[in-house]
Amino acid sequence: IVSIETFVNVQKDAEKILGMDGAAVLLYEAGKKSGERWVRRFRKDWGLKDQKFIEAVQNFYAELGWGRFEVKEYNGKEIIVRVENSFIARGYGKSNAAVCHFLRGYNAGLAQVLKGEYLEAIETRCAAKGDDCCEFVMKRYE
């Protein structure tokens, strides 16, 4: 387990070395693999399904200090996750661009496991940019 400060310092160092886009890809892909792995494990270990599983995941991440997650699905085609008090946005500080690349990937991995299909994510709102929360939209992007 790493502190928020350490995580954000790693992200900012990656941005200096790889550039903003390179760091975003690295953190997104790492988050996505991590999300897939951990969500599969949680689902198996906890023995929960559907809404009960989603509620357990939301509570788990809130207890970890990652933020308050709210999972919504629209039209069966996309999953939207809203995160209030994102640990990344909180630790990163002000930014002109969305910065929660790891959480974007993590949520994409979570959504892939829940939907059973390949999905990608975009961050449509970010608290580091001054938005009221961070919001991630997962769906099939062509």
mmCIF file of all heavy atoms in Angstrom, residues 55-90:
data_model
loop_
_atom_site.group_PDB
_atom_site.id
_atom_site.type_symbol
_atom_site.label_atom_id
_atom_site.label_comp_id
_atom_site.label_asym_id
_atom_site.label_seq_id
_atom_site.Cartn_x
_atom_site.Cartn_y
_atom_site.Cartn_z
ATOM 1 N N GLU A 55 -22.456 -2.752 -4.524
ATOM 2 C CA GLU A 55 -22.497 -2.043 -3.239
ATOM 3 C C GLU A 55 -21.295 -2.399 -2.372
ATOM 4 O O GLU A 55 -20.704 -1.525 -1.725
ATOM 5 C CB GLU A 55 -23.794 -2.355 -2.512
ATOM 6 C CG GLU A 55 -25.012 -1.724 -3.155
ATOM 7 C CD GLU A 55 -26.326 -2.217 -2.572
ATOM 8 O OE1 GLU A 55 -26.316 -2.938 -1.543
ATOM 9 O OE2 GLU A 55 -27.380 -1.888 -3.148
ATOM 10 N N ALA A 56 -20.909 -3.667 -2.359
ATOM 11 C CA ALA A 56 -19.749 -4.089 -1.570
ATOM 12 C C ALA A 56 -18.472 -3.442 -2.093
ATOM 13 O O ALA A 56 -17.622 -3.002 -1.311
ATOM 14 C CB ALA A 56 -19.634 -5.615 -1.583
ATOM 15 N N VAL A 57 -18.335 -3.373 -3.416
ATOM 16 C CA VAL A 57 -17.161 -2.732 -4.021
ATOM 17 C C VAL A 57 -17.136 -1.248 -3.663
ATOM 18 O O VAL A 57 -16.090 -0.701 -3.286
ATOM 19 C CB VAL A 57 -17.147 -2.946 -5.553
ATOM 20 C CG1 VAL A 57 -16.113 -2.055 -6.230
ATOM 21 C CG2 VAL A 57 -16.885 -4.409 -5.885
ATOM 22 N N GLN A 58 -18.272 -0.574 -3.767
ATOM 23 C CA GLN A 58 -18.340 0.843 -3.425
ATOM 24 C C GLN A 58 -17.899 1.071 -1.978
ATOM 25 O O GLN A 58 -17.107 1.979 -1.701
ATOM 26 C CB GLN A 58 -19.768 1.370 -3.616
ATOM 27 C CG GLN A 58 -20.189 1.469 -5.056
ATOM 28 C CD GLN A 58 -21.674 1.760 -5.209
ATOM 29 O OE1 GLN A 58 -22.500 1.295 -4.430
ATOM 30 N NE2 GLN A 58 -22.006 2.520 -6.220
ATOM 31 N N ASN A 59 -18.394 0.266 -1.068
ATOM 32 C CA ASN A 59 -18.042 0.404 0.350
ATOM 33 C C ASN A 59 -16.568 0.109 0.587
ATOM 34 O O ASN A 59 -15.902 0.807 1.365
ATOM 35 C CB ASN A 59 -18.909 -0.518 1.210
ATOM 36 C CG ASN A 59 -20.359 -0.082 1.237
ATOM 37 O OD1 ASN A 59 -20.671 1.098 1.068
ATOM 38 N ND2 ASN A 59 -21.253 -1.024 1.442
ATOM 39 N N PHE A 60 -16.054 -0.908 -0.080
ATOM 40 C CA PHE A 60 -14.653 -1.288 0.077
ATOM 41 C C PHE A 60 -13.732 -0.136 -0.317
ATOM 42 O O PHE A 60 -12.804 0.212 0.416
ATOM 43 C CB PHE A 60 -14.362 -2.538 -0.762
ATOM 44 C CG PHE A 60 -12.946 -3.006 -0.678
ATOM 45 C CD1 PHE A 60 -12.489 -3.679 0.447
ATOM 46 C CD2 PHE A 60 -12.065 -2.776 -1.722
ATOM 47 C CE1 PHE A 60 -11.168 -4.120 0.528
ATOM 48 C CE2 PHE A 60 -10.748 -3.215 -1.652
ATOM 49 C CZ PHE A 60 -10.307 -3.885 -0.521
ATOM 50 N N TYR A 61 -13.977 0.471 -1.487
ATOM 51 C CA TYR A 61 -13.098 1.551 -1.939
ATOM 52 C C TYR A 61 -13.249 2.811 -1.091
ATOM 53 O O TYR A 61 -12.271 3.532 -0.885
ATOM 54 C CB TYR A 61 -13.298 1.830 -3.423
ATOM 55 C CG TYR A 61 -12.768 0.689 -4.254
ATOM 56 C CD1 TYR A 61 -13.569 0.023 -5.151
ATOM 57 C CD2 TYR A 61 -11.466 0.256 -4.095
ATOM 58 C CE1 TYR A 61 -13.086 -1.053 -5.888
ATOM 59 C CE2 TYR A 61 -10.972 -0.810 -4.823
ATOM 60 C CZ TYR A 61 -11.783 -1.464 -5.708
ATOM 61 O OH TYR A 61 -11.298 -2.524 -6.416
ATOM 62 N N ALA A 62 -14.429 3.050 -0.571
ATOM 63 C CA ALA A 62 -14.602 4.185 0.347
ATOM 64 C C ALA A 62 -13.772 3.967 1.609
ATOM 65 O O ALA A 62 -13.108 4.889 2.093
ATOM 66 C CB ALA A 62 -16.078 4.367 0.684
ATOM 67 N N GLU A 63 -13.783 2.733 2.125
ATOM 68 C CA GLU A 63 -12.998 2.430 3.321
ATOM 69 C C GLU A 63 -11.501 2.541 3.064
ATOM 70 O O GLU A 63 -10.738 2.904 3.958
ATOM 71 C CB GLU A 63 -13.338 1.027 3.830
ATOM 72 C CG GLU A 63 -14.718 0.939 4.446
ATOM 73 C CD GLU A 63 -15.085 -0.472 4.875
ATOM 74 O OE1 GLU A 63 -14.166 -1.308 5.053
ATOM 75 O OE2 GLU A 63 -16.280 -0.741 5.039
ATOM 76 N N LEU A 64 -11.059 2.243 1.857
ATOM 77 C CA LEU A 64 -9.646 2.380 1.498
ATOM 78 C C LEU A 64 -9.222 3.843 1.371
ATOM 79 O O LEU A 64 -8.039 4.139 1.324
ATOM 80 C CB LEU A 64 -9.365 1.699 0.160
ATOM 81 C CG LEU A 64 -9.191 0.202 0.140
ATOM 82 C CD1 LEU A 64 -8.924 -0.283 -1.280
ATOM 83 C CD2 LEU A 64 -8.069 -0.248 1.060
ATOM 84 N N GLY A 65 -10.196 4.744 1.261
ATOM 85 C CA GLY A 65 -9.881 6.157 1.081
ATOM 86 C C GLY A 65 -9.753 6.564 -0.378
ATOM 87 O O GLY A 65 -9.256 7.643 -0.685
ATOM 88 N N TRP A 66 -10.224 5.702 -1.304
ATOM 89 C CA TRP A 66 -10.148 6.015 -2.722
ATOM 90 C C TRP A 66 -11.185 7.031 -3.142
ATOM 91 O O TRP A 66 -11.093 7.617 -4.194
ATOM 92 C CB TRP A 66 -10.326 4.743 -3.552
ATOM 93 C CG TRP A 66 -9.100 3.907 -3.653
ATOM 94 C CD1 TRP A 66 -8.057 3.852 -2.768
ATOM 95 C CD2 TRP A 66 -8.784 3.007 -4.700
ATOM 96 N NE1 TRP A 66 -7.126 2.963 -3.205
ATOM 97 C CE2 TRP A 66 -7.538 2.425 -4.387
ATOM 98 C CE3 TRP A 66 -9.445 2.617 -5.851
ATOM 99 C CZ2 TRP A 66 -6.927 1.491 -5.198
ATOM 100 C CZ3 TRP A 66 -8.831 1.679 -6.664
ATOM 101 C CH2 TRP A 66 -7.583 1.126 -6.347
ATOM 102 N N GLY A 67 -12.213 7.219 -2.340
ATOM 103 C CA GLY A 67 -13.294 8.137 -2.654
ATOM 104 C C GLY A 67 -14.632 7.433 -2.537
ATOM 105 O O GLY A 67 -14.701 6.238 -2.261
ATOM 106 N N ARG A 68 -15.694 8.199 -2.733
ATOM 107 C CA ARG A 68 -17.054 7.638 -2.688
ATOM 108 C C ARG A 68 -17.492 7.336 -4.116
ATOM 109 O O ARG A 68 -17.697 8.245 -4.906
ATOM 110 C CB ARG A 68 -18.008 8.628 -2.030
ATOM 111 C CG ARG A 68 -19.392 8.064 -1.837
ATOM 112 C CD ARG A 68 -20.277 9.034 -1.036
ATOM 113 N NE ARG A 68 -21.649 8.689 -1.274
ATOM 114 C CZ ARG A 68 -22.407 9.239 -2.231
ATOM 115 N NH1 ARG A 68 -21.920 10.180 -2.994
ATOM 116 N NH2 ARG A 68 -23.637 8.855 -2.396
ATOM 117 N N PHE A 69 -17.616 6.053 -4.423
ATOM 118 C CA PHE A 69 -17.965 5.599 -5.770
ATOM 119 C C PHE A 69 -19.471 5.427 -5.887
ATOM 120 O O PHE A 69 -20.117 4.925 -4.974
ATOM 121 C CB PHE A 69 -17.323 4.230 -6.051
ATOM 122 C CG PHE A 69 -15.850 4.283 -6.334
ATOM 123 C CD1 PHE A 69 -14.950 4.760 -5.390
ATOM 124 C CD2 PHE A 69 -15.359 3.852 -7.550
ATOM 125 C CE1 PHE A 69 -13.600 4.797 -5.642
ATOM 126 C CE2 PHE A 69 -13.996 3.892 -7.813
ATOM 127 C CZ PHE A 69 -13.121 4.362 -6.853
ATOM 128 N N GLU A 70 -19.993 5.818 -7.032
ATOM 129 C CA GLU A 70 -21.395 5.573 -7.358
ATOM 130 C C GLU A 70 -21.422 4.990 -8.765
ATOM 131 O O GLU A 70 -20.949 5.608 -9.713
ATOM 132 C CB GLU A 70 -22.187 6.877 -7.314
ATOM 133 C CG GLU A 70 -23.648 6.692 -7.652
ATOM 134 C CD GLU A 70 -24.408 8.015 -7.713
ATOM 135 O OE1 GLU A 70 -23.774 9.086 -7.613
ATOM 136 O OE2 GLU A 70 -25.623 7.943 -7.886
ATOM 137 N N VAL A 71 -21.942 3.780 -8.878
ATOM 138 C CA VAL A 71 -21.976 3.083 -10.162
ATOM 139 C C VAL A 71 -23.373 3.169 -10.735
ATOM 140 O O VAL A 71 -24.353 2.866 -10.054
ATOM 141 C CB VAL A 71 -21.568 1.600 -10.003
ATOM 142 C CG1 VAL A 71 -21.621 0.893 -11.344
ATOM 143 C CG2 VAL A 71 -20.181 1.502 -9.383
ATOM 144 N N LYS A 72 -23.452 3.584 -12.016
ATOM 145 C CA LYS A 72 -24.733 3.651 -12.706
ATOM 146 C C LYS A 72 -24.569 3.031 -14.083
ATOM 147 O O LYS A 72 -23.504 3.111 -14.674
ATOM 148 C CB LYS A 72 -25.195 5.096 -12.876
ATOM 149 C CG LYS A 72 -25.495 5.774 -11.584
ATOM 150 C CD LYS A 72 -26.094 7.134 -11.809
ATOM 151 C CE LYS A 72 -26.510 7.692 -10.464
ATOM 152 N NZ LYS A 72 -27.560 8.640 -10.565
ATOM 153 N N GLU A 73 -25.619 2.442 -14.587
ATOM 154 C CA GLU A 73 -25.602 1.901 -15.948
ATOM 155 C C GLU A 73 -26.740 2.551 -16.715
ATOM 156 O O GLU A 73 -27.834 2.702 -16.186
ATOM 157 C CB GLU A 73 -25.778 0.388 -15.934
ATOM 158 C CG GLU A 73 -25.684 -0.218 -17.307
ATOM 159 C CD GLU A 73 -25.634 -1.735 -17.259
ATOM 160 O OE1 GLU A 73 -25.498 -2.304 -16.180
ATOM 161 O OE2 GLU A 73 -25.745 -2.325 -18.337
ATOM 162 N N TYR A 74 -26.476 2.931 -17.947
ATOM 163 C CA TYR A 74 -27.493 3.566 -18.769
ATOM 164 C C TYR A 74 -27.700 2.760 -20.038
ATOM 165 O O TYR A 74 -26.751 2.450 -20.737
ATOM 166 C CB TYR A 74 -27.085 5.000 -19.135
ATOM 167 C CG TYR A 74 -27.062 5.902 -17.929
ATOM 168 C CD1 TYR A 74 -25.866 6.259 -17.346
ATOM 169 C CD2 TYR A 74 -28.236 6.355 -17.369
ATOM 170 C CE1 TYR A 74 -25.829 7.068 -16.233
ATOM 171 C CE2 TYR A 74 -28.208 7.172 -16.253
ATOM 172 C CZ TYR A 74 -27.002 7.534 -15.690
ATOM 173 O OH TYR A 74 -26.990 8.327 -14.590
ATOM 174 N N ASN A 75 -28.944 2.429 -20.323
ATOM 175 C CA ASN A 75 -29.340 1.764 -21.570
ATOM 176 C C ASN A 75 -28.615 0.451 -21.824
ATOM 177 O O ASN A 75 -28.607 -0.036 -22.939
ATOM 178 C CB ASN A 75 -29.120 2.687 -22.774
ATOM 179 C CG ASN A 75 -29.881 3.974 -22.646
ATOM 180 O OD1 ASN A 75 -30.983 4.004 -22.127
ATOM 181 N ND2 ASN A 75 -29.287 5.055 -23.110
ATOM 182 N N GLY A 76 -27.975 -0.120 -20.822
ATOM 183 C CA GLY A 76 -27.262 -1.366 -20.996
ATOM 184 C C GLY A 76 -26.049 -1.252 -21.897
ATOM 185 O O GLY A 76 -25.391 -2.243 -22.182
ATOM 186 N N LYS A 77 -25.723 -0.064 -22.374
ATOM 187 C CA LYS A 77 -24.611 0.114 -23.312
ATOM 188 C C LYS A 77 -23.381 0.732 -22.668
ATOM 189 O O LYS A 77 -22.293 0.640 -23.215
ATOM 190 C CB LYS A 77 -25.049 0.976 -24.493
ATOM 191 C CG LYS A 77 -26.111 0.305 -25.336
ATOM 192 C CD LYS A 77 -26.489 1.169 -26.505
ATOM 193 C CE LYS A 77 -27.569 0.465 -27.309
ATOM 194 N NZ LYS A 77 -27.990 1.234 -28.446
ATOM 195 N N GLU A 78 -23.553 1.382 -21.537
ATOM 196 C CA GLU A 78 -22.418 2.014 -20.884
ATOM 197 C C GLU A 78 -22.591 1.963 -19.375
ATOM 198 O O GLU A 78 -23.702 1.830 -18.878
ATOM 199 C CB GLU A 78 -22.239 3.461 -21.352
ATOM 200 C CG GLU A 78 -23.385 4.378 -20.994
ATOM 201 C CD GLU A 78 -23.227 5.769 -21.586
ATOM 202 O OE1 GLU A 78 -22.437 5.961 -22.523
ATOM 203 O OE2 GLU A 78 -23.908 6.675 -21.105
ATOM 204 N N ILE A 79 -21.476 2.041 -18.709
ATOM 205 C CA ILE A 79 -21.475 2.131 -17.251
ATOM 206 C C ILE A 79 -20.820 3.453 -16.901
ATOM 207 O O ILE A 79 -19.758 3.800 -17.441
ATOM 208 C CB ILE A 79 -20.707 0.958 -16.617
ATOM 209 C CG1 ILE A 79 -21.417 -0.365 -16.910
ATOM 210 C CG2 ILE A 79 -20.549 1.177 -15.113
ATOM 211 C CD1 ILE A 79 -20.694 -1.590 -16.404
ATOM 212 N N ILE A 80 -21.448 4.183 -16.020
ATOM 213 C CA ILE A 80 -20.886 5.448 -15.559
ATOM 214 C C ILE A 80 -20.562 5.301 -14.074
ATOM 215 O O ILE A 80 -21.399 4.854 -13.291
ATOM 216 C CB ILE A 80 -21.872 6.612 -15.775
ATOM 217 C CG1 ILE A 80 -22.117 6.803 -17.269
ATOM 218 C CG2 ILE A 80 -21.330 7.894 -15.134
ATOM 219 C CD1 ILE A 80 -23.132 7.868 -17.606
ATOM 220 N N VAL A 81 -19.339 5.658 -13.726
ATOM 221 C CA VAL A 81 -18.915 5.641 -12.332
ATOM 222 C C VAL A 81 -18.559 7.063 -11.947
ATOM 223 O O VAL A 81 -17.759 7.720 -12.623
ATOM 224 C CB VAL A 81 -17.694 4.716 -12.124
ATOM 225 C CG1 VAL A 81 -17.186 4.802 -10.693
ATOM 226 C CG2 VAL A 81 -18.043 3.273 -12.469
ATOM 227 N N ARG A 82 -19.162 7.523 -10.882
ATOM 228 C CA ARG A 82 -18.841 8.847 -10.330
ATOM 229 C C ARG A 82 -18.076 8.634 -9.036
ATOM 230 O O ARG A 82 -18.454 7.787 -8.224
ATOM 231 C CB ARG A 82 -20.112 9.638 -10.066
ATOM 232 C CG ARG A 82 -20.799 10.048 -11.341
ATOM 233 C CD ARG A 82 -21.934 11.039 -11.087
ATOM 234 N NE ARG A 82 -22.540 11.365 -12.354
ATOM 235 C CZ ARG A 82 -23.743 10.955 -12.736
ATOM 236 N NH1 ARG A 82 -24.475 10.223 -11.941
ATOM 237 N NH2 ARG A 82 -24.215 11.292 -13.921
ATOM 238 N N VAL A 83 -17.017 9.394 -8.864
ATOM 239 C CA VAL A 83 -16.192 9.290 -7.660
ATOM 240 C C VAL A 83 -16.108 10.669 -7.029
ATOM 241 O O VAL A 83 -15.579 11.599 -7.631
ATOM 242 C CB VAL A 83 -14.777 8.755 -7.975
ATOM 243 C CG1 VAL A 83 -13.959 8.647 -6.695
ATOM 244 C CG2 VAL A 83 -14.860 7.416 -8.692
ATOM 245 N N GLU A 84 -16.644 10.776 -5.836
ATOM 246 C CA GLU A 84 -16.495 12.004 -5.057
ATOM 247 C C GLU A 84 -15.269 11.839 -4.176
ATOM 248 O O GLU A 84 -15.060 10.775 -3.585
ATOM 249 C CB GLU A 84 -17.734 12.240 -4.186
ATOM 250 C CG GLU A 84 -18.973 12.591 -4.973
ATOM 251 C CD GLU A 84 -20.179 12.810 -4.075
ATOM 252 O OE1 GLU A 84 -20.024 12.925 -2.846
ATOM 253 O OE2 GLU A 84 -21.295 12.846 -4.625
ATOM 254 N N ASN A 85 -14.446 12.863 -4.099
ATOM 255 C CA ASN A 85 -13.262 12.867 -3.252
ATOM 256 C C ASN A 85 -12.219 11.856 -3.740
ATOM 257 O O ASN A 85 -11.598 11.150 -2.938
ATOM 258 C CB ASN A 85 -13.645 12.606 -1.788
ATOM 259 C CG ASN A 85 -12.605 13.106 -0.826
ATOM 260 O OD1 ASN A 85 -11.835 14.001 -1.126
ATOM 261 N ND2 ASN A 85 -12.572 12.502 0.346
ATOM 262 N N SER A 86 -12.006 11.792 -5.041
ATOM 263 C CA SER A 86 -11.004 10.892 -5.626
ATOM 264 C C SER A 86 -9.645 11.125 -4.972
ATOM 265 O O SER A 86 -9.188 12.261 -4.875
ATOM 266 C CB SER A 86 -10.889 11.164 -7.129
ATOM 267 O OG SER A 86 -9.635 10.755 -7.633
ATOM 268 N N PHE A 87 -9.012 10.049 -4.553
ATOM 269 C CA PHE A 87 -7.702 10.184 -3.905
ATOM 270 C C PHE A 87 -6.667 10.777 -4.856
ATOM 271 O O PHE A 87 -5.783 11.523 -4.426
ATOM 272 C CB PHE A 87 -7.229 8.852 -3.324
ATOM 273 C CG PHE A 87 -6.649 7.874 -4.299
ATOM 274 C CD1 PHE A 87 -5.272 7.770 -4.442
ATOM 275 C CD2 PHE A 87 -7.463 7.036 -5.055
ATOM 276 C CE1 PHE A 87 -4.724 6.850 -5.326
ATOM 277 C CE2 PHE A 87 -6.922 6.120 -5.936
ATOM 278 C CZ PHE A 87 -5.544 6.029 -6.080
ATOM 279 N N ILE A 88 -6.788 10.496 -6.137
ATOM 280 C CA ILE A 88 -5.810 11.022 -7.092
ATOM 281 C C ILE A 88 -6.024 12.521 -7.290
ATOM 282 O O ILE A 88 -5.084 13.314 -7.182
ATOM 283 C CB ILE A 88 -5.887 10.273 -8.436
ATOM 284 C CG1 ILE A 88 -5.536 8.798 -8.228
ATOM 285 C CG2 ILE A 88 -4.929 10.918 -9.460
ATOM 286 C CD1 ILE A 88 -5.783 7.923 -9.436
ATOM 287 N N ALA A 89 -7.251 12.927 -7.564
ATOM 288 C CA ALA A 89 -7.535 14.358 -7.764
ATOM 289 C C ALA A 89 -7.208 15.147 -6.499
ATOM 290 O O ALA A 89 -6.631 16.246 -6.576
ATOM 291 C CB ALA A 89 -8.996 14.556 -8.151
ATOM 292 N N ARG A 90 -7.533 14.587 -5.357
ATOM 293 C CA ARG A 90 -7.275 15.253 -4.075
ATOM 294 C C ARG A 90 -5.772 15.452 -3.869
ATOM 295 O O ARG A 90 -5.324 16.519 -3.477
ATOM 296 C CB ARG A 90 -7.880 14.406 -2.956
ATOM 297 C CG ARG A 90 -7.821 15.015 -1.600
ATOM 298 C CD ARG A 90 -8.626 14.206 -0.570
ATOM 299 N NE ARG A 90 -8.008 12.925 -0.285
ATOM 300 C CZ ARG A 90 -8.594 11.732 -0.457
ATOM 301 N NH1 ARG A 90 -9.821 11.654 -0.923
ATOM 302 N NH2 ARG A 90 -7.973 10.617 -0.156
#
